C-alpha cells in the first residue's frame, strides 16, 4: 500500500487514528531536545529537528542523517610554528590550536591532533580543505595533500619556488565512514630544513553515503 502523501480534509470529516498517524504524525517535523527524544519506531522519510545539535535530520530507513541547519564538520588550526621540517619528509601538520568550529567532536587539539576523525553515525560525502603556510625559500617546491587513514592521498598541490611566506591550498571530496581520519601532509624539497608557519584543515558533511 502506498504511503499517504497529502490529503485535503473537508468540513465534517472525522479524523481516524490511522489518518492522524500517517498524514500528521509521520509527516510533521518533530522537535526533539536531544537524541534521547527521537521517535522509537521511525519510518523512512521522517524528519526531525534536534535542538541540541541545531540540526534537522531525516530517516533513511536505517539511520538518521543530517538534512538542514548546522551541518557536521570541523575546522582545526595550527598555532605553533613547526620548525626545521626535513627535506623530502612527509610532515603531518599538528593542528594544536583551539578549533575554529567543531560540531560533533571530530578533533582534539591536545591528543592525536594531526587527525580529524569521522564520528559514529556521520558517514557520508565530505568536502575537505587544507592549507599550509611555508617560510620563504627561493629554491625547489613545497606541497600539500590530504591523507586518508595514513594510506591514500588526495588533492595533491605543489607550489613553485617563491620568496616570501606563502600558502599551498589543497581540497578534495571524499566519501568517509565512521572512524576514518584525514590528515594534512606537507613536504618540501629545498635541500635543507624549512618551517611550516601556519596551517588549517576543515571537513564539512555535504551528503549521505552514495547508494550501493
Amino acid at each position: 500500500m502506498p504511503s499517504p502523501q497529502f490529503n485535503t480534509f473537508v468540513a465534517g470529516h472525522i479524523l481516524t487514528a490511522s489518518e492522524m498517524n500517517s498524514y500528521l504524525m509521520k509527516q510533521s517535523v518533530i522537535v526533539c531536545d536531544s537524541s534521547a527524544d527521537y521517535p522509537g519506531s521511525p519510518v523512512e522519510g521522517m524528519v526531525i529537528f534536534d535542538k541540541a545539535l541545531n540540526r534537522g535530520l531525516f530517516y533513511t530507513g536505517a539511520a538518521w542523517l543530517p538534512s538542514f541547519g548546522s551541518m557536521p564538520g570541523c575546522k582545526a588550526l595550527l598555532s605553533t610554528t613547526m620548525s626545521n621540517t626535513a627535506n623530502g619528509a612527509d610532515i603531518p601538520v599538528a593542528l594544536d590550536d583551539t578549533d575554529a568550529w567543531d560540531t560533533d567532536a571530530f578533533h582534539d587539539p591536545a591528543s592525536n591532533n594531526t587527525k580529524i576523525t569521522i564520528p559514529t553515525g556521520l558517514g557520508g560525502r565530505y568536502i575537505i580543505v587544507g592549507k599550509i603556510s611555508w617560510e620563504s625559500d627561493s629554491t625547489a617546491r613545497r606541497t600539500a595533500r590530504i591523507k586518508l587513514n595514513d594510506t591514500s592521498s588526495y588533492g595533491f598541490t605543489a607550489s613553485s619556488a617563491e620568496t616570501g611566506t606563502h600558502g599551498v591550498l589543497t581540497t578534495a571530496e571524499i566519501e568517509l565512514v565512521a572512524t576514518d581520519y584525514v590528515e594534512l601532509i606537507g613536504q618540501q624539497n629545498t635541500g635543507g630544513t624549512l618551517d611550516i608557519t601556519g596551517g588549517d584543515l576543515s571537513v564539512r558533511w555535504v551528503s549521505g553515503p552514495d547508494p550501493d
Side-chain angles (χ1 to χ4, degrees), residues 24-150:
L24 301 182
M25 294 301 295
K26 290 181 180 178
Q27 300 191 65
S28 62
V29 177
I30 303 166
V31 178
C32 303
D33 287 332
S34 69
S35 60
D37 301 326
Y38 290 7
S41 299
V43 295
E44 185 175 357
M46 184 176 282
V47 178
I48 64 173
F49 183 80
D50 187 318
K51 291 166 64 178
L53 296 176
N54 191 32
R55 181 183 304 152
L57 303 103
F58 71 96
Y59 192 67
T60 66
W64 292 101
L65 291 180
S67 177
F68 59 90
S70 175
M71 291 292 97
C74 171
K75 184 174 184 178
L77 310 170
L78 167 68
S79 68
T80 305
T81 294
M82 298 179 66
S83 300
N84 301 320
T85 65
N87 178 72
D90 280 353
I91 308 297
V93 177
L95 304 164
D96 59 345
D97 202 354
T98 300
D99 294 331
W101 39 270
D102 187 350
T103 63
D104 294 79
F106 283 80
H107 179 251
D108 183 351
S111 176
N112 293 319
N113 61 17
T114 66
K115 300 176 181 180
I116 292 180
T117 304
I118 305 305
T120 299
L122 289 179
R125 190 163 289 276
Y126 283 79
I127 293 290
I128 305 169
V129 180
K131 185 181 75 175
I132 299 176
S133 295
W134 293 93
E135 73 166 307
S136 175
D137 190 279
S138 60
T139 61
R141 68 178 187 177
R142 272 75 77 196
T143 71
R145 72 181 192 276
I146 295 158
K147 198 167 189 180
L148 171 61
N149 297 335
D150 200 28

Side-chain angles (χ1 to χ4, degrees), residues 89-90 128 130 132 134 141-147 152-160 168-174 183-189:
D90 280 353
I128 305 169
I132 299 176
W134 293 93
R141 68 178 187 177
R142 272 75 77 196
T143 71
R145 72 181 192 276
I146 295 158
K147 198 167 189 180
S152 303
S153 291
Y154 298 85
F156 178 87
T157 307
S159 76
S160 57
V168 183
L169 182 70
T170 181
T171 184
E173 182 177 339
I174 310 173
E183 297 175 285
L184 178 61
I185 306 296
Q187 188 184 104
Q188 56 87 12
N189 64 347

